[in-house]
């Protein structure tokens, strides 16, 4: 696996994550909600992963250390991140909340530098600064009336950063792709099912078309994109991988424009350009190396 290929796979994972909201919005039109979608996209992909594990004769056995790490990373990265981000939507707009969530590369850099003492280059700092300026361009500054939503969205970025760093530092990036995807999907499914006892948010009575779309979303987001991101983290490290994940908001804008007829203003275009320049600096760095 070359680093250039790892960069490409990480960007593809970001593009997939940016595309799946288009499919999500289609299910919302027929009675679905973000909580149900997260539950079903994880649950419905489990049989596929189970077949792949059996076919490839991959053991699901975990030692005590792996089990503890998997639970912590799964709860932080998938469950807490999802609940915090989706809960923030009730206080502030989806666009603003998602944009604030995308501050997570900054949190990844802080965790890696100050806790794990990773070396951060000047070029990486410049790239991150440009990317953060780009992210700010996506923010609707008229949507800052409720501090609860802002706090939830930002904390969701922190928990996702813990997830990205955890996969690398806990050694889970070396685990079999199917095995890691299976356990993370299982943790999300079981956790949300338990939480549903108190919240009653999961909508089970949905059209067949919704279930089909959620299978597609699960295969794309909880399987393909997750594996590609894991490969990127394993080869590039969590700091670099998180920066290349910033192609996700760009892809969301592009797919939203072409498939959902969403408007694209000057600030969003400017934000995309800042992020592209930031990513170009990182790619040039890798090529010189």
């Amino acid at each position: 696996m070359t680093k250039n290929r790892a960069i490409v796979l990480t960007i593809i994972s970001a593009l997939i994550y940016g595309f799946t909201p288009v499919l999500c919005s289609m299910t919302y039109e027929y009675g679905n909600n973000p909580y149900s979608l997260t539950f079903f996209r994880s649950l419905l992909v489990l049989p596929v992963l189970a077949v792949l594990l059996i076919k490839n004769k991959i053991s699901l056995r975990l030692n005590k250390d792996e089990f503890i790490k998997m639970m912590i990373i799964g709860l932080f990265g998938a469950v807490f991140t999802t609940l915090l981000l989706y809960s923030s939507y009730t206080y502030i707009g989806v666009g603003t909340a998602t944009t604030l969530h995308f501050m997570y590369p900054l949190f990844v850099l802080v965790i890696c530098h100050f806790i794990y003492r990773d070396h951060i280059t000047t070029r990486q700092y410049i790239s991150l600064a440009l990317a953060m300026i780009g992210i700010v361009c996506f923010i609707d500054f008229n949507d800052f009336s409720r501090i609860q939503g802002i706090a939830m969205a930002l904390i969701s970025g922190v928990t996702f950063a813990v997830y990205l760093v955890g996969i690398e530092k806990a050694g889970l990036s070396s685990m079999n792709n199917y095995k890691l995807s299976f356990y993370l999907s299982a943790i999300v499914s079981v956790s949300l099912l338990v939480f549903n006892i108190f919240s009653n948010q999961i909508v089970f009575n949905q059209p067949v078309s919704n279930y089909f779309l959620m299978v597609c979303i699960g295969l794309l987001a909880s399987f393909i994109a997750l594996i590609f991101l894991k490969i990127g983290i394993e080869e590039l490290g969590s700091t670099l991988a998180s920066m290349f994940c910033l192609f996700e908001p760009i892809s969301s804008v592009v797919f939203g424009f072409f498939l959902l007829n969403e408007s694209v203003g000057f600030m969003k275009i400017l934000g995309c350009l800042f992020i592209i320049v930031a990513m170009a600096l990182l790619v040039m760095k890798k090529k010189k190396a």
Side-chain angles (χ1 to χ4, degrees):
M1 171 67 67
T2 64
K3 291 193 175 182
N4 285 339
R5 186 183 175 193
I7 290 173
V8 171
L9 291 179
T10 305
I11 292 174
I12 292 175
S13 76
L15 295 177
I16 292 174
Y17 282 128
F19 169 70
T20 51
V22 175
L23 300 181
C24 296
S25 66
M26 294 179 183
T27 70
Y28 297 158
E29 296 175 4
Y30 298 98
N32 203 5
N33 61 48
Y35 190 101
S36 297
L37 176 62
T38 304
F39 170 73
F40 282 115
R41 89 172 195 187
S42 299
L43 179 68
L44 295 176
V45 80
L46 286 176
V48 177
L49 291 168
V51 170
L52 290 172
L53 287 167
I54 294 171
K55 180 181 178 181
N56 291 279
K57 299 180 180 180
I58 299 168
S59 172
L60 278 174
R61 182 175 299 175
L62 294 174
N63 58 43
K64 182 179 179 181
D65 184 57
E66 289 175 329
F67 176 78
I68 294 174
K69 291 176 179 178
M70 185 72 73
M71 288 299 299
I72 293 173
I73 291 172
L75 288 172
F76 267 94
V79 181
F80 292 165
T81 298
T82 302
L83 292 178
L84 285 166
L85 183 59
Y86 288 166
S87 296
S88 71
Y89 294 163
T90 62
Y91 296 96
I92 57 178
V94 173
T96 301
T98 304
T99 303
L100 291 171
H101 168 75
F102 270 95
M103 293 293 179
Y104 68 78
L106 176 61
F107 302 136
V108 169
L109 184 145
V110 170
I111 293 171
C112 288
H113 181 65
F114 290 100
I115 296 180
Y116 293 97
R117 303 300 179 184
D118 287 1
H119 174 66
I120 308 298
T121 67
T122 301
R123 187 181 290 269
Q124 288 174 340
Y125 275 118
I126 295 173
S127 296
L128 181 63
L130 290 173
M132 290 299 101
I133 293 172
I135 289 297
V136 169
C137 292
F138 285 83
I139 298 177
D140 180 5
F141 288 97
N142 296 318
D143 196 17
F144 274 77
S145 58
R146 301 195 177 180
I147 191 66
Q148 299 100 314
I150 296 172
M152 287 179 177
L154 285 173
I155 295 172
S156 77
V158 175
T159 58
F160 192 66
V162 172
Y163 166 73
L164 292 176
V165 176
I167 287 181
E168 177 192 7
K169 303 301 183 181
L172 296 183
S173 61
S174 60
M175 182 178 289
N176 177 270
N177 294 328
Y178 302 148
K179 184 176 179 178
L180 178 64
S181 298
F182 181 87
Y183 273 112
L184 290 177
S185 296
I187 291 171
V188 173
S189 301
V190 173
S191 300
L192 293 185
L193 190 60
V194 171
F195 190 78
N196 188 63
I197 296 173
F198 307 98
S199 64
N200 196 30
Q201 292 289 320
I202 298 178
V203 180
F204 291 95
N205 185 19
Q206 299 194 42
V208 175
S209 59
N210 267 15
Y211 282 100
F212 173 76
L213 286 172
M214 287 190 289
V215 169
C216 294
I217 294 167
L219 291 174
L220 288 170
S222 299
F223 178 38
I224 298 174
L226 177 61
I227 288 176
F228 284 2
L229 177 58
K230 171 185 170 293
I231 293 172
I233 293 172
E234 182 179 10
E235 186 64 35
L236 304 173
S238 52
T239 301
L240 268 181
S242 68
M243 291 184 185
F244 285 110
C245 287
L246 287 168
F247 272 99
E248 183 177 337
I250 295 178
S251 65
S252 296
V253 170
V254 173
F255 289 126
F257 176 76
F258 285 105
L259 301 179
L260 299 177
N261 296 318
E262 294 180 350
S263 61
V264 179
F266 171 76
M267 292 304 293
K268 285 187 177 180
I269 295 175
L270 184 63
C272 290
L273 291 175
F274 269 109
I275 293 173
I276 290 172
V277 171
M279 298 306 102
L281 284 176
L282 293 178
V283 172
M284 286 190 293
K285 175 64 175 178
K286 303 311 294 183
K287 285 183 177 180
K288 289 180 179 180

